[in-house]
Amino acid sequence: MIRLNRITDISGIRVGHAEDERIASGVTALVFDTPFTCAVDVRGGGPGTRETDLLDPAATVQAVDALVLAGGSAFGLDAAAGVVAHLREAGRGFAVGDVRVPIVPGAILFDLLNGGDKGWGRFPPYRELGYAAALAAQDGAFALGSVGAGLGARTANLKGGLG
């Protein structure tokens, strides 16, 4: 097998992207075929995360079903709910009695000032983008560059991306 030096060279990891060109933002989901043990190091003056405390080795949950990265600053935290919805439909998650709870930590980046239309109304689009990214992870192919969570990424005057 040819290795491309991508995260998917690790067996059991799938990546999916979803983006909205109008808002200049998107979501990337890393979905694991079986729960993965993960860790995190949160830094910076304004981190935006969801369920990263579960990645502490002392936590009850020892593995996660997926990880999600999203644009949208605090609004992007909704993306993990879309990934959770997709995994729940697939019967995935941590068993709590008869209920399965998909464990999906996530992090966001700030892309609110990148020129995209952020007038999305009452509900930001990130939950649906998260669902679409998890669905896209099923096919195994994914792009690099200014896609998914990296679509609207910028630092100063430099365009960002993934990969």
Side-chain angles (χ1 to χ4, degrees), residues 16-150:
H17 302 297
E19 60 259 333
D20 184 329
E21 294 283 343
R22 183 183 57 79
I23 67 171
S25 190
V27 173
T28 297
L30 287 79
V31 179
F32 308 123
D33 291 344
T34 59
F36 253 56
T37 300
C38 296
V40 67
D41 181 21
V42 179
R43 297 179 186 218
T49 61
R50 172 189 157 135
E51 294 189 350
T52 54
D53 290 348
L54 291 175
L55 301 177
D56 185 317
T60 300
V61 175
Q62 296 298 309
V64 302
D65 298 292
L67 295 172
V68 66
L69 306 170
S73 190
F75 300 105
L77 292 172
D78 283 351
V83 177
V84 166
H86 174 73
L87 292 171
R88 182 179 170 126
E89 288 176 351
R92 299 278 310 276
F94 181 75
V96 179
D98 292 343
V99 179
R100 290 254 177 219
V101 181
I103 306 299
V104 182
I108 50 88
L109 60 86
F110 182 83
D111 64 0
L112 296 179
L113 301 178
N114 65 6
D117 179 6
K118 306 305 191 263
W120 46 64
R122 179 177 288 189
F123 297 107
Y126 293 97
R127 180 180 297 215
E128 293 303 319
L129 288 170
Y131 185 92
L135 194 61
Q138 291 179 332
D139 75 14
F142 68 98
L144 299 175
S146 295
V147 295

